[in-house]
Amino acid sequence: WYTAMILEQTDLAAAVAQLERVFALAPDALHVRLKLAATKLALGDSVVAEELLRDVPSESAAAADSMLQRVRAARLRNAPLEALKILDNARKFKSSLSSDLYQEAAVAALQAGQPNVAASLRAESLQQPPLQPFPDPWLAALRAFDVSGGGDSTTAEQLRGQGRLSEAATRLAALARRFPDR
């Protein structure tokens, strides 16, 4: 998970490979499912993204994020009417609604050649709260992982700058043992 979050910044394809490994180990972790779907969508694989998102329960806390990504995926697949159907389904679950969802659906309505529907959806988006992203329960550990490595790396660089090469090498060797994939 940590490696995928770091790779997401520079190499989406490599991040997907790591996310798929995490998903295989924790298929019920909704934050993993959402992140994998979003990354697949960013790489243009809207079909797989939608498959992943269909299994997110409509009554779960992840539903709003899932519905938004499903509408976006349908729109990117050039299926704007399907995107509008997803919005209609989301309306049954008030907790799934967000201004972001309505805005995405408005774009789908324009794509479908329905400017009046798009204008109505845009107006409705102003009445909805912004999307509250589904929380990542592993985020605190990720921050600790990244900060601890960053702190040791900075200390090693300071030691090197002071000419204390042996101490810097020892610090970097310990860091490499703790995080061999970095």
Side-chain angles (χ1 to χ4, degrees), residues 128-143:
Q128 298 297 326
L131 177 70
Q132 296 299 316
F134 186 68
D136 176 352
W138 300 340
L139 186 59
L142 175 62
R143 287 186 179 130

Side-chain angles (χ1 to χ4, degrees), residues 50 67-90 101-102 104-109 111-112 121:
E50 282 188 273
M67 292 293 185
L68 173 61
Q69 288 189 53
R70 287 183 64 203
V71 167
R72 185 171 292 142
R75 186 181 60 75
L76 292 174
R77 258 191 322 102
N78 199 26
L81 296 178
E82 186 178 321
L84 295 174
K85 286 180 185 175
I86 293 168
L87 171 64
D88 286 340
N89 187 45
L101 177 64
Y102 277 90
E104 193 70 42
V107 174
Q111 186 179 5
L121 291 171

Side-chain angles (χ1 to χ4, degrees), residues 97-109:
L97 301 178
S98 68
S99 59
D100 307 79
L101 177 64
Y102 277 90
Q103 289 171 15
E104 193 70 42
V107 174

Side-chain angles (χ1 to χ4, degrees), residues 9 18-19 22 27-28 33 44 54 74 106 109 114-115 119 122-123 125 132 143 147 152-155 158 165 173 177:
Q9 306 303 311
Q18 294 298 319
L19 286 168
V22 175
D28 294 332
R33 181 178 294 274
R54 272 193 204 107
Q114 300 177 5
R122 174 73 175 116
S125 78
Q132 296 299 316
R143 287 186 179 130
V147 169
D152 282 346
S153 179
T154 301
T155 301
Q158 288 171 345
L165 299 179
R177 282 190 302 278

